[in-house]
Amino acid sequence: MTEPSSEGPVLQRLIDQVNQHIETRWEYLTLTAAEKMSEIAAMLAGAFMLLAFGGFILFFFSIGFAWWLGDYINSRAGGFALAGLIFLPVALVSFWWIRPFVRAKIIHAILQENDAAKNR
């Protein structure tokens, strides 16, 4: 008779501990997700700012270069056409060089994150 009454509180404590563990785990996962999302948002905001300012700088340098080239060959339209032809291979080479570099950085960051998660 005493055994069923002693099992009741033990079972109830076990259920309470399991519920606490699940709630704690859920809070940890939501905090981890929020932390990763904030890191991604900060990284994207910084990258966007660099991209925007870099784009403005490149735009004005290319306009100035095309204008100068047009004055040099005495044809403003020709200067813009030649500048476009010069920037096309530069853009393609940059794309071919930057794409693998960025991909390698992303893969490296993911692997480091996985290693850090395994060591926890």
Side-chain angles (χ1 to χ4, degrees):
M1 285 277 187
T2 58
E3 278 186 39
S5 62
S6 65
E7 285 182 13
V10 172
L11 184 61
Q12 186 62 35
R13 276 190 295 148
L14 180 63
I15 291 172
D16 290 341
Q17 287 178 352
V18 167
N19 285 338
Q20 283 181 337
H21 177 72
I22 290 172
E23 288 175 8
T24 305
R25 208 59 179 148
W26 178 255
E27 289 175 8
Y28 173 73
L29 288 174
T30 56
L31 286 174
T32 303
E35 180 183 358
K36 287 183 182 187
M37 291 301 291
S38 66
E39 286 178 15
I40 290 171
M43 182 185 67
L44 288 176
F48 177 73
M49 291 300 293
L50 285 175
L51 183 66
F53 283 118
F56 285 137
I57 291 168
L58 183 62
F59 174 74
F60 285 114
F61 274 142
S62 63
I63 293 293
F65 176 69
W67 203 292
W68 174 81
L69 195 57
D71 288 344
Y72 186 74
I73 63 171
N74 295 325
S75 171
R76 186 128 326 132
F80 277 89
L82 283 176
L85 288 175
I86 290 170
F87 284 128
L88 182 65
V90 170
L92 290 174
V93 168
S94 297
F95 177 74
W96 287 331
W97 179 76
I98 289 174
R99 187 174 179 194
F101 177 74
V102 170
R103 181 181 291 163
K105 284 288 193 184
I106 291 171
I107 291 171
H108 181 68
I110 290 171
L111 290 176
Q112 279 185 335
E113 183 178 310
N114 286 342
D115 288 343
K118 287 179 183 178
N119 291 335
R120 289 183 193 169

